Amino acid sequence: MNELESLKNIFKDRIFKIPDYQRGYAWTERQLKDFWEDVINLPADRFHYTGLLSLKKVDRNVWNNWNDERWLLEDRGYKPFHVVDGQQRLTTFVIFIQAISEILKAIPENKDKKDEDIYLGSFSLKAIKEEYLVVHRPPQFIISTYKFSYEVDNPSFKFLKYRIFNEPNSGTIQETFYTLNLENAKRFFAENLTNYYEKYGLIEIEILFKKLTQNLMFNVYEISDDFDVFVAFETMNNRGKKLSNLELLKNRLIYLTTLYDEKELKTDERFSLREKINDSWKEVYYQLGRNKQNPLNDDDFLVAHWIMYFQYTREKGDDYIRFLLEQKFTPQNIYAKTEVVVSSLQEFEEVREDEETDQEEVEENENEETVVLRSKLSAKEIEDYVNSLKSAAVHCYNTHNPVNNTDLTSAESLWIDRLNRIGIIYFRPLVTVSFLSNEVDSKQRVKLFKAIERFIFITFRLSRAFSTYRNSEFYRAARQFRNNELTVEEITERLEQRMSYCFYTPENTTDNFFDYTYFQKFIDKKFKNGGGFYHWNGLRYFLYEYEMEKVRQRGSQKIDWKLFIKGEKDKISIEHIYPQTPDNKCWKTSFKGYKKNEINFFQGTLGNLLPLSQSINSSLQNDCFLDKKNPRYNEKKEKIRQGYYDGSHSEIEVSTNEEWNAKKILDRGLNLIEFMEKRWNLKFENDFSKTELLFLAFMLPD
C-alpha cells in the first residue's frame, strides 16, 4: 500500500480502462449527492480520504491491440491500468470534470474561444482536458485518446465517449440501465454546477476544481496477478452499491477461463470463451436496461434463469447463488476434473425428477449433492450456460414489456400483459421458457398463457390459495419444459388438475360448478373490517378486464392501467356509486327502509363499485347519482369531475340508469358475475349462489 495520492497525481501519465469483468456505472442520486456534498463541504485547506483505488497494470500483449491509446504508451511513456476497485468514484470524477469543462465553454465571454484561450484561474481548459479527460494526437489530431474509458466491448464505451465526452459522429449507441446512470450523473453535475456558478461565481468553481483534483485522497494499490484481481473484485463494495450476484457471476466465469491449462483450452479457445461471456453479459445488461425508466432487476433475472436451467430446490432465498458460486462454477470443479467420471457430470446436469411426486418441497438426495460438489466443470458447460443466459435475456425483457412489442404477436402481447397486470407470481420462468423452444409455436404459447392467467385468477384471486401454492411444481415444470420433457398440453392439464379443489359436482349430475365459499369467507372478513369487495386484491384487474371487454365491443379505450392502479392521496379511481357517507337526502330516500348492516353490504358489494376514467377527489363520491352523471366544475370553471355520461364504458353503462337503488346494485352485480363466468370459464350453480356471493341474498324473496 502506497502513501495517499490526489487525483492530480493519480492521473499523471496513466491511462485507465474498466475491464470486461466489471459492471457498468452503478451510482444513482443518493451516491451522487454524497459525493457532491463531500466536495462542497470540504474546507479548501483540508484533505479528504476518498477510499481505495485498486489497479492492475495491463500487459503489453493486451494494450498492443488498443489503437487509440498505443501512441501515448509508446511515445510518451504513459502506463495502462485496469481499474479493479474504485471505478465508480473515478467515473464520477471524470463526469464532474467534464461538467466543469462544459460550464466554462458555456460562459458568454468564452463564446467562440479555443480551449487554450479559456481559463479557470491559472488552468487552461485545454490543459484540464489533457490532464484528466482526452489527449489529441498531433499533428493531424485525428486520434482522440481518453484518459479514462471502458473496454470497447462494453456497451458503456460508446456512450461515455459520445454522450458524456461529446465526441461527434456517434452513430447508433446501445443504451442500458448503466448508460442511464451515466446520463443522470452528467445531468446532476451540470445542474448543480450551473446553480453553484450563478450563486457564487467562477472563483468558487475554481475552488471546487482544486478540491476535486488536489484534496480528494486515495490509497492506490497495484495488484500483481489475475488471482488477486478476481478475488479483490468479488470482495469489494463501492460506497453502499453492493455488487449484484449477476456481476459476481460474470467475474467468476471469466476468472475460471484463466484456470484451464493449455491442453484443455488452447489460447484462442480461451479468448473465444471469454468473448462469449462478454457478449452474453452485454446482451443481458442491454435487455435488463432496455426500458430505461423501469430497468429489470439483475438478481430476479438470474433466479428465473436458474429455475429454468438447473434443478429447483427451495431452501433459503439465496440458495441459487450459493449453488452457482459455491457448488457449480468453482475453481475446485476445474482442478478436480481428473477425479470424476464424465457420467456423473451428465447425471447432475440432466437429473430427472419423478413427475408423479406431489411434494411441495423436492430436495436433492445426498448422492446427488456429492456428485455436484465433485463434478468436473468443462469449458463447454460454461459456454452452454452463458449462451442460455444470452438467449433468455430478450425473452425476459419481452415478458416484462409486452405492450407495443414487435417481437410478440398481438395475442402473445395481450395475454402476457394480462399476466403482468394480474400478478404473474412464480410463472415468469415458465412463460419465458415457452419462447426458447423451437417445438412451441405462438398458438401453443397463447394457450399456455391463457391457462396460467385462469389458474392465477381462480386459485389465487378468488379461492385465496397461498402465494406459494404449487410453486415448486411449476418451477420444476419450467425446467422440464425447457428440456422438452413436458408439453404445453401436459402443463395446461396439470394447471387444470391443481384447480380441482375450486369446483364441485353435485350428486346425480355431471355439471361442474365453482365453489365460491373460499372467496365468500374472504370477502366476509373484508366486510367485517369495513370495505367488502373494495378491499379485494383482484378488484382492479377484474373491473379493468370488464372495461376492456366493452372496449373490444365499442372501441375507444378510456382507462389507462398505469393511472388506474396509481395511488394518489385523497383521490380515488374506483368509486362507490352509493357512497360510504350517504348524507345527502337523495341517498336516504333511495335506500329508505334498509337496516344498517344491509346498507353496508350495498355500499361494499361488487355491483356498487365503478372504475373511473379519471381519478377524482374522494369527497366528490358523496354527490347524488344525478350529479355524478354530469360533469362538475369548481369556482374557477375548471372541470373536477368527468361525469358518468362522458367517462369510462362502465360509467356510461351505469349512466343509462335513471336512478341508483338496491335493485340496480343487485342487477349490476349479477351482470358482473355473468361476465366472470364467461371470461374465466367457470359456472355458478344458480342465481342464489351469485346473489349470496354478492352478500345481497337478503333481497331475495323468502
Side-chain angles (χ1 to χ4, degrees):
M1 193 75 71
N2 301 321
E3 63 183 30
L4 295 179
E5 292 187 51
S6 67
L7 286 161
K8 181 177 178 62
N9 289 338
I10 290 169
F11 269 73
K12 183 175 175 57
D13 297 337
R14 282 186 173 124
I15 290 177
F16 301 103
K17 278 189 178 287
I18 306 302
D20 55 7
Y21 52 81
Q22 283 270 26
R23 61 171 162 184
Y25 185 61
W27 275 18
T28 53
E29 187 176 12
R30 182 176 68 83
Q31 290 79 28
L32 294 172
K33 281 182 176 179
D34 287 344
F35 189 86
W36 172 262
E37 289 169 2
D38 284 346
V39 178
I40 293 296
N41 297 325
L42 179 64
D45 59 347
R46 297 287 299 275
F47 296 98
H48 176 71
Y49 176 68
T50 311
L52 174 68
L53 183 62
S54 298
L55 306 174
K56 171 70 165 62
K57 194 169 182 181
V58 180
D59 293 336
R60 186 183 186 93
N61 64 338
V62 175
W63 64 254
N64 260 338
N65 296 314
W66 295 358
N67 182 68
D68 291 350
E69 294 84 3
R70 196 166 58 244
W71 71 278
L72 273 182
L73 302 174
E74 292 178 338
D75 297 350
R76 298 193 182 180
Y78 276 59
K79 293 181 174 58
F81 291 92
H82 276 151
V83 182
V84 178
D85 187 6
Q87 72 125 322
Q88 306 294 329
R89 290 182 287 274
L90 277 190
T91 309
T92 305
F93 167 73
V94 296
I95 295 174
F96 203 148
I97 295 293
Q98 176 67 25
I100 289 176
S101 75
E102 292 181 23
I103 285 284
L104 291 176
K105 289 282 283 186
I107 295 173
E109 56 262 36
N110 290 333
K111 185 180 180 183
D112 299 326
K113 285 185 179 180
K114 295 180 179 179
D115 286 354
E116 55 263 36
D117 298 324
I118 298 174
Y119 280 85
L120 182 62
S122 62
F123 306 94
S124 75
L125 180 55
K126 182 174 185 286
I128 291 172
K129 285 186 173 181
E130 287 194 346
E131 192 164 3
Y132 301 106
L133 300 176
V134 59
V135 184
H136 302 287
R137 181 181 181 179
Q140 288 85 7
F141 300 101
I142 294 174
I143 293 178
S144 299
T145 305
Y146 291 91
K147 301 289 292 291
F148 175 92
S149 64
Y150 293 87
E151 289 282 12
V152 293
D153 57 0
N154 190 310
S156 296
F157 169 78
K158 290 179 72 174
F159 194 92
L160 185 71
K161 184 175 180 179
Y162 295 108
R163 298 287 176 81
I164 304 302
F165 295 145
N166 298 330
E167 185 170 316
N169 306 318
S170 65
T172 302
I173 295 179
Q174 189 181 87
E175 297 186 29
T176 70
F177 175 56
Y178 290 134
T179 63
L180 176 63
N181 289 338
L182 291 170
E183 184 180 351
N184 286 339
K186 184 174 182 179
R187 184 179 297 114
F188 174 88
F189 288 122
E191 291 174 356
N192 281 279
L193 281 168
T194 299
N195 294 335
Y196 203 73
Y197 168 71
E198 291 173 353
K199 189 172 183 179
Y200 300 110
L202 194 59
I203 186 67
E204 288 298 324
I205 299 295
E206 180 188 354
I207 292 172
L208 271 186
F209 174 73
K210 287 179 179 178
K211 289 194 290 186
L212 190 64
T213 57
Q214 299 175 30
N215 294 38
L216 300 185
M217 309 300 288
F218 286 83
N219 271 130
V220 180
Y221 175 65
E222 289 192 27
I223 299 175
S224 58
D225 58 40
D226 283 340
F227 175 78
D228 289 338
V229 165
F230 291 102
V231 170
F233 184 82
E234 287 198 12
T235 57
M236 74 183 186
N237 283 309
N238 284 300
R239 195 165 182 168
K241 292 296 290 187
K242 184 179 179 182
L243 293 167
S244 72
N245 291 326
L246 188 60
E247 291 160 344
L248 288 171
L249 180 61
K250 179 189 178 186
N251 171 71
R252 174 64 64 81
L253 293 176
I254 289 178
Y255 171 51
L256 293 181
T257 66
T258 69
L259 301 183
Y260 291 100
D261 59 43
E262 184 68 20
K263 292 180 181 178
E264 275 194 273
L265 198 65
K266 294 180 173 57
T267 301
D268 58 343
E269 293 173 330
R270 191 188 317 275
F271 178 79
S272 175
L273 181 55
R274 188 160 177 159
E275 285 293 296
K276 287 180 179 179
I277 294 170
N278 280 323
D279 286 345
S280 294
W281 256 256
K282 186 190 297 186
E283 174 70 8
V284 167
Y285 280 132
Y286 167 67
Q287 297 296 345
L288 295 184
R290 192 167 155 191
N291 184 337
K292 294 198 296 180
Q293 303 308 315
N294 295 287
L296 306 182
N297 182 272
D298 290 13
D299 293 334
D300 287 348
F301 168 71
L302 196 55
V303 171
H305 183 268
W306 170 70
I307 289 167
M308 294 181 246
Y309 199 82
F310 294 108
Q311 177 167 314
Y312 171 76
T313 60
R314 188 172 67 199
E315 298 168 7
K316 295 180 181 178
D318 62 350
D319 57 346
Y320 78 98
I321 196 61
R322 287 190 291 106
F323 166 77
L324 292 172
L325 294 181
E326 297 176 18
Q327 296 184 48
K328 183 66 179 175
F329 298 113
T330 66
Q332 292 84 352
N333 283 346
I334 293 176
Y335 295 141
K337 56 188 175 292
T338 55
E339 301 176 8
V340 183
V341 293
V342 175
S343 60
S344 64
L345 177 65
Q346 293 301 318
E347 180 186 344
F348 167 73
E349 187 69 333
E350 300 294 336
V351 64
R352 299 292 189 272
E353 295 161 320
D354 182 1
E355 292 187 7
E356 300 303 317
T357 182
D358 198 39
Q359 292 178 315
E360 279 300 297
E361 304 296 330
V362 176
E363 297 186 4
E364 298 157 308
N365 62 42
E366 187 174 336
N367 183 54
E368 287 175 332
E369 290 179 354
T370 303
V371 171
V372 171
L373 289 172
R374 292 182 359 216
S375 62
K376 171 189 169 189
L377 178 64
S378 68
K380 185 69 170 65
E381 283 183 87
I382 295 177
E383 180 192 19
D384 289 345
Y385 177 69
V386 300
N387 285 340
S388 177
L389 277 173
K390 181 179 180 180
S391 62
V394 64
H395 302 303
C396 178
Y397 169 82
N398 290 340
T399 67
H400 281 90
N401 299 276
V403 179
N404 299 322
N405 189 320
T406 56
D407 288 345
L408 305 173
T409 67
S410 58
E412 289 170 344
S413 176
L414 170 66
W415 283 97
I416 295 175
D417 184 44
R418 282 173 166 165
L419 287 171
N420 287 333
R421 284 191 279 105
I422 196 174
I424 198 168
I425 51 176
Y426 52 75
F427 284 103
R428 195 170 303 279
L430 190 57
V431 171
T432 303
V433 164
S434 71
F435 289 95
L436 294 173
S437 173
N438 294 327
E439 313 254 333
V440 181
D441 60 23
S442 179
K443 186 176 180 181
Q444 289 177 301
R445 275 194 290 272
V446 171
K447 178 181 179 181
L448 175 64
F449 302 160
K450 286 180 178 180
I452 293 172
E453 190 266 356
R454 180 171 181 264
F455 178 84
I456 293 172
F457 185 77
I458 293 175
T459 305
F460 297 104
R461 299 296 172 259
L462 294 180
S463 299
R464 315 312 302 169
F466 288 120
S467 61
T468 55
Y469 173 70
R470 296 291 172 183
N471 68 339
S472 296
E473 177 179 8
F474 288 105
Y475 279 150
R476 293 195 306 273
R479 181 175 179 273
Q480 293 169 322
F481 191 27
R482 172 184 168 271
N483 292 338
N484 296 320
E485 297 167 9
L486 277 179
T487 65
V488 168
E489 287 70 24
E490 289 169 328
I491 295 171
T492 54
E493 177 60 30
R494 190 175 296 183
L495 287 164
E496 192 69 34
Q497 292 170 358
R498 299 303 178 245
M499 282 191 293
S500 60
Y501 80 96
C502 303
F503 297 88
Y504 67 93
T505 301
E507 291 184 11
N508 303 319
T509 179
T510 57
D511 292 330
N512 201 28
F513 298 111
F514 176 59
D515 184 355
Y516 60 90
T517 55
Y518 300 102
F519 189 40
Q520 184 184 28
K521 289 175 183 177
F522 169 77
I523 298 296
D524 185 47
K525 290 180 182 178
K526 297 301 179 184
F527 269 116
K528 288 175 181 176
N529 294 330
F533 280 89
Y534 189 78
H535 294 303
W536 170 36
N537 67 343
L539 178 66
R540 290 183 187 277
Y541 181 74
F542 174 76
L543 292 179
Y544 186 81
E545 282 300 298
Y546 181 78
E547 175 71 15
M548 293 306 293
E549 180 63 25
K550 299 300 176 186
V551 170
R552 278 182 281 278
Q553 295 170 5
R554 304 168 187 171
S556 183
Q557 183 172 339
K558 301 190 176 188
I559 294 181
D560 183 287
W561 174 255
K562 290 182 180 178
L563 296 177
F564 188 49
I565 62 173
K566 184 179 179 182
E568 295 181 85
K569 187 178 181 182
D570 299 326
K571 293 221 169 175
I572 58 161
S573 54
I574 295 178
E575 178 173 36
H576 293 78
I577 305 172
Y578 173 39
Q580 292 174 294
T581 310
D583 295 333
N584 286 325
K585 183 179 178 180
C586 58
W587 291 120
K588 293 178 180 178
T589 301
S590 296
F591 289 86
K592 186 177 179 180
Y594 287 104
K595 301 173 185 176
K596 184 178 180 180
N597 69 311
E598 293 172 342
I599 292 293
N600 290 336
F601 287 132
F602 284 131
Q603 291 165 339
T605 192
L606 190 59
N608 190 52
L609 301 175
L610 184 64
L612 304 177
S613 60
Q614 294 181 359
S615 61
I616 62 168
N617 192 294
S618 56
S619 63
L620 294 178
Q621 66 176 332
N622 297 327
D623 292 348
C624 292
F625 182 65
L626 291 178
D627 295 327
K628 290 185 176 189
K629 294 204 291 184
N630 295 292
R632 180 168 171 178
Y633 300 86
N634 61 16
E635 296 174 353
K636 297 179 181 179
K637 304 299 182 181
E638 298 169 333
K639 186 185 286 188
I640 57 175
R641 177 179 197 117
Q642 188 79 7
Y644 292 168
Y645 282 130
D646 194 30
S648 65
H649 290 291
S650 300
E651 290 176 86
I652 294 170
E653 189 174 66
V654 166
S655 73
T656 61
N657 293 288
E658 294 296 323
E659 58 180 341
W660 195 251
N661 53 32
K663 183 177 184 305
K664 300 296 184 183
I665 291 176
L666 175 58
D667 288 346
R668 183 166 182 270
L670 291 172
N671 181 54
L672 289 171
I673 293 292
E674 287 172 10
F675 165 73
M676 182 187 292
E677 288 181 305
K678 293 176 184 176
R679 170 66 175 76
W680 285 280
N681 189 26
L682 53 86
K683 189 162 72 169
F684 286 80
E685 188 168 358
N686 47 45
D687 283 347
F688 175 79
S689 300
K690 301 174 187 177
T691 307
E692 186 177 45
L693 177 58
L694 294 170
F695 289 81
L696 298 178
F698 60 86
M699 293 184 63
L700 298 176
D702 294 334

